[in-house]
Amino acid sequence: VQLQASGGGLVQAGGSLRLSCQVSGNIFSVKAMVWYRQAPGEQRELVAGVTSGGSTNYGDSVWGRFTASRDNAKNALYLQMDSLKPEDTAVYYCNAKVITYYGDPPGDYWGQGTQVTVSS
């Protein structure tokens, strides 16, 4: 199973970016999908998560500005980031709980990360 994150870049404060994460490989089903981020010198923090049923949850610092969604048919996760702030600068990672064979427990998989830089 591989996760490929994309969509990061440099944007001015107040701007928007849309991140994507594609899950590929031997997949029976994808359970929860989550975006995390890690800024230099900081611990990794939860940004937003989406269950297989479409329920979402957000970190306090992004609530109301970021929107997470997923396309189950494509095994893809998205993060629409609006009203970006310099403190949103971080490497953003996608995480997915993936069942590879029927009856097996879900495994924990990570993407390689995509850099988001917000200039003031």
mmCIF file of all heavy atoms in Angstrom, residues 78-112:
data_model
loop_
_atom_site.group_PDB
_atom_site.id
_atom_site.type_symbol
_atom_site.label_atom_id
_atom_site.label_comp_id
_atom_site.label_asym_id
_atom_site.label_seq_id
_atom_site.Cartn_x
_atom_site.Cartn_y
_atom_site.Cartn_z
ATOM 1 N N TYR A 78 -8.718 14.526 0.398
ATOM 2 C CA TYR A 78 -8.428 15.899 0.010
ATOM 3 C C TYR A 78 -8.454 16.811 1.223
ATOM 4 O O TYR A 78 -9.093 16.513 2.227
ATOM 5 C CB TYR A 78 -9.459 16.387 -1.013
ATOM 6 C CG TYR A 78 -9.618 15.467 -2.202
ATOM 7 C CD1 TYR A 78 -10.684 14.582 -2.277
ATOM 8 C CD2 TYR A 78 -8.674 15.479 -3.226
ATOM 9 C CE1 TYR A 78 -10.811 13.727 -3.358
ATOM 10 C CE2 TYR A 78 -8.800 14.625 -4.305
ATOM 11 C CZ TYR A 78 -9.868 13.749 -4.371
ATOM 12 O OH TYR A 78 -9.986 12.894 -5.437
ATOM 13 N N LEU A 79 -7.770 17.934 1.094
ATOM 14 C CA LEU A 79 -7.806 18.958 2.137
ATOM 15 C C LEU A 79 -7.826 20.315 1.455
ATOM 16 O O LEU A 79 -6.823 20.727 0.860
ATOM 17 C CB LEU A 79 -6.607 18.849 3.074
ATOM 18 C CG LEU A 79 -6.623 19.821 4.252
ATOM 19 C CD1 LEU A 79 -7.760 19.457 5.227
ATOM 20 C CD2 LEU A 79 -5.283 19.800 4.999
ATOM 21 N N GLN A 80 -8.960 20.983 1.524
ATOM 22 C CA GLN A 80 -9.086 22.348 1.027
ATOM 23 C C GLN A 80 -8.709 23.288 2.150
ATOM 24 O O GLN A 80 -9.343 23.278 3.208
ATOM 25 C CB GLN A 80 -10.513 22.624 0.553
ATOM 26 C CG GLN A 80 -10.743 24.039 0.076
ATOM 27 C CD GLN A 80 -9.961 24.372 -1.181
ATOM 28 O OE1 GLN A 80 -9.856 23.549 -2.093
ATOM 29 N NE2 GLN A 80 -9.411 25.580 -1.238
ATOM 30 N N MET A 81 -7.664 24.076 1.929
ATOM 31 C CA MET A 81 -7.163 24.976 2.960
ATOM 32 C C MET A 81 -7.386 26.409 2.507
ATOM 33 O O MET A 81 -6.810 26.851 1.501
ATOM 34 C CB MET A 81 -5.673 24.720 3.193
ATOM 35 C CG MET A 81 -5.349 23.268 3.544
ATOM 36 S SD MET A 81 -3.625 23.020 3.974
ATOM 37 C CE MET A 81 -2.848 23.375 2.398
ATOM 38 N N ASP A 82 -8.217 27.123 3.230
ATOM 39 C CA ASP A 82 -8.531 28.515 2.928
ATOM 40 C C ASP A 82 -8.057 29.415 4.063
ATOM 41 O O ASP A 82 -7.796 28.943 5.164
ATOM 42 C CB ASP A 82 -10.038 28.682 2.711
ATOM 43 C CG ASP A 82 -10.564 27.880 1.542
ATOM 44 O OD1 ASP A 82 -9.895 27.863 0.481
ATOM 45 O OD2 ASP A 82 -11.637 27.266 1.675
ATOM 46 N N SER A 83 -7.984 30.702 3.772
ATOM 47 C CA SER A 83 -7.558 31.682 4.776
ATOM 48 C C SER A 83 -6.281 31.236 5.468
ATOM 49 O O SER A 83 -6.174 31.272 6.698
ATOM 50 C CB SER A 83 -8.671 31.903 5.816
ATOM 51 O OG SER A 83 -9.868 32.310 5.205
ATOM 52 N N LEU A 84 -5.313 30.837 4.683
ATOM 53 C CA LEU A 84 -4.076 30.315 5.237
ATOM 54 C C LEU A 84 -3.313 31.375 6.007
ATOM 55 O O LEU A 84 -3.323 32.562 5.653
ATOM 56 C CB LEU A 84 -3.211 29.733 4.125
ATOM 57 C CG LEU A 84 -3.663 28.347 3.642
ATOM 58 C CD1 LEU A 84 -3.088 28.039 2.260
ATOM 59 C CD2 LEU A 84 -3.243 27.285 4.637
ATOM 60 N N LYS A 85 -2.641 30.912 7.057
ATOM 61 C CA LYS A 85 -1.858 31.781 7.925
ATOM 62 C C LYS A 85 -0.404 31.294 7.937
ATOM 63 O O LYS A 85 -0.143 30.113 7.696
ATOM 64 C CB LYS A 85 -2.410 31.730 9.349
ATOM 65 C CG LYS A 85 -3.875 32.075 9.483
ATOM 66 C CD LYS A 85 -4.339 31.881 10.917
ATOM 67 C CE LYS A 85 -5.818 32.196 11.077
ATOM 68 N NZ LYS A 85 -6.280 32.015 12.478
ATOM 69 N N PRO A 86 0.531 32.179 8.254
ATOM 70 C CA PRO A 86 1.934 31.735 8.329
ATOM 71 C C PRO A 86 2.129 30.548 9.284
ATOM 72 O O PRO A 86 2.982 29.692 9.029
ATOM 73 C CB PRO A 86 2.663 32.988 8.820
ATOM 74 C CG PRO A 86 1.838 34.118 8.293
ATOM 75 C CD PRO A 86 0.419 33.635 8.382
ATOM 76 N N GLU A 87 1.345 30.491 10.331
ATOM 77 C CA GLU A 87 1.484 29.383 11.280
ATOM 78 C C GLU A 87 0.968 28.046 10.736
ATOM 79 O O GLU A 87 1.108 27.011 11.385
ATOM 80 C CB GLU A 87 0.787 29.709 12.612
ATOM 81 C CG GLU A 87 -0.639 30.198 12.483
ATOM 82 C CD GLU A 87 -0.742 31.715 12.486
ATOM 83 O OE1 GLU A 87 0.078 32.388 11.820
ATOM 84 O OE2 GLU A 87 -1.676 32.224 13.158
ATOM 85 N N ASP A 88 0.375 28.057 9.557
ATOM 86 C CA ASP A 88 -0.006 26.804 8.895
ATOM 87 C C ASP A 88 1.179 26.175 8.154
ATOM 88 O O ASP A 88 1.062 25.056 7.646
ATOM 89 C CB ASP A 88 -1.143 27.046 7.894
ATOM 90 C CG ASP A 88 -2.436 27.466 8.561
ATOM 91 O OD1 ASP A 88 -2.785 26.876 9.604
ATOM 92 O OD2 ASP A 88 -3.107 28.379 8.032
ATOM 93 N N THR A 89 2.294 26.885 8.106
ATOM 94 C CA THR A 89 3.476 26.361 7.442
ATOM 95 C C THR A 89 3.945 25.081 8.121
ATOM 96 O O THR A 89 4.189 25.066 9.332
ATOM 97 C CB THR A 89 4.600 27.404 7.445
ATOM 98 O OG1 THR A 89 4.193 28.542 6.667
ATOM 99 C CG2 THR A 89 5.890 26.833 6.875
ATOM 100 N N ALA A 90 4.056 24.024 7.344
ATOM 101 C CA ALA A 90 4.428 22.720 7.889
ATOM 102 C C ALA A 90 4.529 21.719 6.740
ATOM 103 O O ALA A 90 4.140 22.019 5.605
ATOM 104 C CB ALA A 90 3.392 22.227 8.895
ATOM 105 N N VAL A 91 5.037 20.553 7.061
ATOM 106 C CA VAL A 91 4.920 19.418 6.147
ATOM 107 C C VAL A 91 3.621 18.704 6.497
ATOM 108 O O VAL A 91 3.383 18.375 7.668
ATOM 109 C CB VAL A 91 6.110 18.454 6.265
ATOM 110 C CG1 VAL A 91 5.917 17.258 5.342
ATOM 111 C CG2 VAL A 91 7.413 19.181 5.931
ATOM 112 N N TYR A 92 2.799 18.488 5.500
ATOM 113 C CA TYR A 92 1.508 17.846 5.697
ATOM 114 C C TYR A 92 1.592 16.386 5.245
ATOM 115 O O TYR A 92 2.051 16.086 4.136
ATOM 116 C CB TYR A 92 0.429 18.585 4.907
ATOM 117 C CG TYR A 92 0.028 19.884 5.549
ATOM 118 C CD1 TYR A 92 0.911 20.955 5.607
ATOM 119 C CD2 TYR A 92 -1.225 20.041 6.137
ATOM 120 C CE1 TYR A 92 0.569 22.148 6.217
ATOM 121 C CE2 TYR A 92 -1.584 21.236 6.744
ATOM 122 C CZ TYR A 92 -0.687 22.282 6.790
ATOM 123 O OH TYR A 92 -1.040 23.459 7.405
ATOM 124 N N TYR A 93 1.150 15.505 6.128
ATOM 125 C CA TYR A 93 1.201 14.069 5.881
ATOM 126 C C TYR A 93 -0.218 13.492 5.841
ATOM 127 O O TYR A 93 -1.059 13.877 6.650
ATOM 128 C CB TYR A 93 1.963 13.356 6.987
ATOM 129 C CG TYR A 93 3.403 13.769 7.134
ATOM 130 C CD1 TYR A 93 3.769 14.810 7.981
ATOM 131 C CD2 TYR A 93 4.408 13.100 6.433
ATOM 132 C CE1 TYR A 93 5.096 15.193 8.129
ATOM 133 C CE2 TYR A 93 5.740 13.471 6.571
ATOM 134 C CZ TYR A 93 6.071 14.510 7.424
ATOM 135 O OH TYR A 93 7.389 14.880 7.549
ATOM 136 N N CYS A 94 -0.427 12.554 4.939
ATOM 137 C CA CYS A 94 -1.691 11.826 4.972
ATOM 138 C C CYS A 94 -1.464 10.448 5.582
ATOM 139 O O CYS A 94 -0.394 9.850 5.440
ATOM 140 C CB CYS A 94 -2.321 11.725 3.592
ATOM 141 S SG CYS A 94 -1.306 10.959 2.327
ATOM 142 N N ASN A 95 -2.466 9.990 6.269
ATOM 143 C CA ASN A 95 -2.448 8.705 6.959
ATOM 144 C C ASN A 95 -3.744 7.975 6.641
ATOM 145 O O ASN A 95 -4.806 8.602 6.564
ATOM 146 C CB ASN A 95 -2.316 8.941 8.463
ATOM 147 C CG ASN A 95 -2.538 7.685 9.272
ATOM 148 O OD1 ASN A 95 -3.664 7.402 9.686
ATOM 149 N ND2 ASN A 95 -1.485 6.934 9.498
ATOM 150 N N ALA A 96 -3.654 6.685 6.464
ATOM 151 C CA ALA A 96 -4.854 5.905 6.180
ATOM 152 C C ALA A 96 -4.785 4.554 6.880
ATOM 153 O O ALA A 96 -3.710 3.945 6.977
ATOM 154 C CB ALA A 96 -5.023 5.706 4.678
ATOM 155 N N LYS A 97 -5.933 4.126 7.366
ATOM 156 C CA LYS A 97 -6.079 2.777 7.922
ATOM 157 C C LYS A 97 -6.638 1.909 6.800
ATOM 158 O O LYS A 97 -7.762 2.129 6.352
ATOM 159 C CB LYS A 97 -7.018 2.791 9.115
ATOM 160 C CG LYS A 97 -6.635 3.790 10.205
ATOM 161 C CD LYS A 97 -5.319 3.454 10.858
ATOM 162 C CE LYS A 97 -5.061 4.309 12.089
ATOM 163 N NZ LYS A 97 -4.777 5.712 11.762
ATOM 164 N N VAL A 98 -5.851 0.953 6.341
ATOM 165 C CA VAL A 98 -6.193 0.187 5.149
ATOM 166 C C VAL A 98 -6.265 -1.295 5.466
ATOM 167 O O VAL A 98 -5.341 -1.860 6.066
ATOM 168 C CB VAL A 98 -5.166 0.428 4.025
ATOM 169 C CG1 VAL A 98 -5.550 -0.373 2.775
ATOM 170 C CG2 VAL A 98 -5.046 1.908 3.691
ATOM 171 N N ILE A 99 -7.366 -1.907 5.050
ATOM 172 C CA ILE A 99 -7.482 -3.366 5.133
ATOM 173 C C ILE A 99 -7.062 -3.926 3.774
ATOM 174 O O ILE A 99 -7.628 -3.562 2.750
ATOM 175 C CB ILE A 99 -8.932 -3.782 5.463
ATOM 176 C CG1 ILE A 99 -9.328 -3.254 6.836
ATOM 177 C CG2 ILE A 99 -9.069 -5.301 5.405
ATOM 178 C CD1 ILE A 99 -10.785 -3.513 7.190
ATOM 179 N N THR A 100 -6.059 -4.778 3.793
ATOM 180 C CA THR A 100 -5.548 -5.304 2.529
ATOM 181 C C THR A 100 -6.214 -6.616 2.135
ATOM 182 O O THR A 100 -6.319 -6.930 0.944
ATOM 183 C CB THR A 100 -4.025 -5.488 2.591
ATOM 184 O OG1 THR A 100 -3.704 -6.283 3.739
ATOM 185 C CG2 THR A 100 -3.325 -4.138 2.717
ATOM 186 N N TYR A 101 -6.654 -7.396 3.111
ATOM 187 C CA TYR A 101 -7.356 -8.650 2.826
ATOM 188 C C TYR A 101 -8.576 -8.752 3.729
ATOM 189 O O TYR A 101 -8.515 -8.380 4.905
ATOM 190 C CB TYR A 101 -6.438 -9.850 3.043
ATOM 191 C CG TYR A 101 -5.290 -9.921 2.085
ATOM 192 C CD1 TYR A 101 -4.034 -9.438 2.448
ATOM 193 C CD2 TYR A 101 -5.456 -10.448 0.815
ATOM 194 C CE1 TYR A 101 -2.970 -9.493 1.568
ATOM 195 C CE2 TYR A 101 -4.394 -10.505 -0.074
ATOM 196 C CZ TYR A 101 -3.161 -10.026 0.312
ATOM 197 O OH TYR A 101 -2.111 -10.081 -0.566
ATOM 198 N N TYR A 102 -9.641 -9.309 3.196
ATOM 199 C CA TYR A 102 -10.878 -9.462 3.962
ATOM 200 C C TYR A 102 -10.598 -10.224 5.259
ATOM 201 O O TYR A 102 -9.954 -11.279 5.241
ATOM 202 C CB TYR A 102 -11.919 -10.205 3.133
ATOM 203 C CG TYR A 102 -13.177 -10.531 3.896
ATOM 204 C CD1 TYR A 102 -14.127 -9.546 4.132
ATOM 205 C CD2 TYR A 102 -13.397 -11.813 4.395
ATOM 206 C CE1 TYR A 102 -15.277 -9.832 4.845
ATOM 207 C CE2 TYR A 102 -14.553 -12.105 5.102
ATOM 208 C CZ TYR A 102 -15.484 -11.117 5.319
ATOM 209 O OH TYR A 102 -16.614 -11.401 6.028
ATOM 210 N N GLY A 103 -11.077 -9.668 6.378
ATOM 211 C CA GLY A 103 -10.914 -10.314 7.667
ATOM 212 C C GLY A 103 -9.685 -9.889 8.430
ATOM 213 O O GLY A 103 -9.573 -10.140 9.633
ATOM 214 N N ASP A 104 -8.737 -9.240 7.746
ATOM 215 C CA ASP A 104 -7.546 -8.751 8.430
ATOM 216 C C ASP A 104 -7.840 -7.431 9.122
ATOM 217 O O ASP A 104 -8.706 -6.666 8.670
ATOM 218 C CB ASP A 104 -6.404 -8.558 7.436
ATOM 219 C CG ASP A 104 -5.756 -9.872 7.056
ATOM 220 O OD1 ASP A 104 -6.150 -10.913 7.620
ATOM 221 O OD2 ASP A 104 -4.859 -9.864 6.193
ATOM 222 N N PRO A 105 -7.113 -7.126 10.187
ATOM 223 C CA PRO A 105 -7.273 -5.800 10.806
ATOM 224 C C PRO A 105 -6.653 -4.728 9.921
ATOM 225 O O PRO A 105 -5.783 -5.036 9.082
ATOM 226 C CB PRO A 105 -6.496 -5.936 12.119
ATOM 227 C CG PRO A 105 -5.469 -6.982 11.833
ATOM 228 C CD PRO A 105 -6.129 -7.950 10.885
ATOM 229 N N PRO A 106 -7.092 -3.489 10.070
ATOM 230 C CA PRO A 106 -6.516 -2.422 9.235
ATOM 231 C C PRO A 106 -5.066 -2.132 9.614
ATOM 232 O O PRO A 106 -4.709 -2.140 10.801
ATOM 233 C CB PRO A 106 -7.411 -1.219 9.516
ATOM 234 C CG PRO A 106 -8.038 -1.511 10.833
ATOM 235 C CD PRO A 106 -8.178 -2.986 10.921
ATOM 236 N N GLY A 107 -4.252 -1.904 8.607
ATOM 237 C CA GLY A 107 -2.875 -1.481 8.834
ATOM 238 C C GLY A 107 -2.781 0.030 8.774
ATOM 239 O O GLY A 107 -3.646 0.707 8.230
ATOM 240 N N ASP A 108 -1.726 0.578 9.313
ATOM 241 C CA ASP A 108 -1.518 2.025 9.418
ATOM 242 C C ASP A 108 -0.471 2.442 8.391
ATOM 243 O O ASP A 108 0.675 2.009 8.470
ATOM 244 C CB ASP A 108 -1.054 2.352 10.842
ATOM 245 C CG ASP A 108 -1.179 3.816 11.168
ATOM 246 O OD1 ASP A 108 -2.175 4.434 10.746
ATOM 247 O OD2 ASP A 108 -0.280 4.359 11.846
ATOM 248 N N TYR A 109 -0.856 3.301 7.449
ATOM 249 C CA TYR A 109 0.030 3.680 6.354
ATOM 250 C C TYR A 109 0.157 5.201 6.280
ATOM 251 O O TYR A 109 -0.798 5.935 6.546
ATOM 252 C CB TYR A 109 -0.494 3.133 5.026
ATOM 253 C CG TYR A 109 -0.550 1.628 4.985
ATOM 254 C CD1 TYR A 109 -1.690 0.949 5.399
ATOM 255 C CD2 TYR A 109 0.556 0.894 4.569
ATOM 256 C CE1 TYR A 109 -1.731 -0.435 5.385
ATOM 257 C CE2 TYR A 109 0.513 -0.494 4.546
ATOM 258 C CZ TYR A 109 -0.631 -1.149 4.954
ATOM 259 O OH TYR A 109 -0.663 -2.525 4.942
ATOM 260 N N TRP A 110 1.364 5.647 5.868
ATOM 261 C CA TRP A 110 1.669 7.077 5.803
ATOM 262 C C TRP A 110 2.189 7.453 4.423
ATOM 263 O O TRP A 110 2.923 6.681 3.793
ATOM 264 C CB TRP A 110 2.733 7.442 6.828
ATOM 265 C CG TRP A 110 2.257 7.369 8.242
ATOM 266 C CD1 TRP A 110 2.222 6.271 9.054
ATOM 267 C CD2 TRP A 110 1.727 8.450 9.019
ATOM 268 N NE1 TRP A 110 1.709 6.613 10.271
ATOM 269 C CE2 TRP A 110 1.394 7.934 10.288
ATOM 270 C CE3 TRP A 110 1.506 9.800 8.755
ATOM 271 C CZ2 TRP A 110 0.850 8.729 11.306
ATOM 272 C CZ3 TRP A 110 0.967 10.596 9.768
ATOM 273 C CH2 TRP A 110 0.641 10.056 11.027
ATOM 274 N N GLY A 111 1.844 8.661 4.006
ATOM 275 C CA GLY A 111 2.421 9.232 2.809
ATOM 276 C C GLY A 111 3.733 9.915 3.131
ATOM 277 O O GLY A 111 4.139 10.026 4.294
ATOM 278 N N GLN A 112 4.384 10.425 2.099
ATOM 279 C CA GLN A 112 5.727 10.989 2.252
ATOM 280 C C GLN A 112 5.718 12.433 2.719
ATOM 281 O O GLN A 112 6.752 12.942 3.116
ATOM 282 C CB GLN A 112 6.483 10.895 0.918
ATOM 283 C CG GLN A 112 6.221 12.032 -0.053
ATOM 284 C CD GLN A 112 4.863 11.980 -0.711
ATOM 285 O OE1 GLN A 112 4.031 11.110 -0.443
ATOM 286 N NE2 GLN A 112 4.608 12.942 -1.588
#
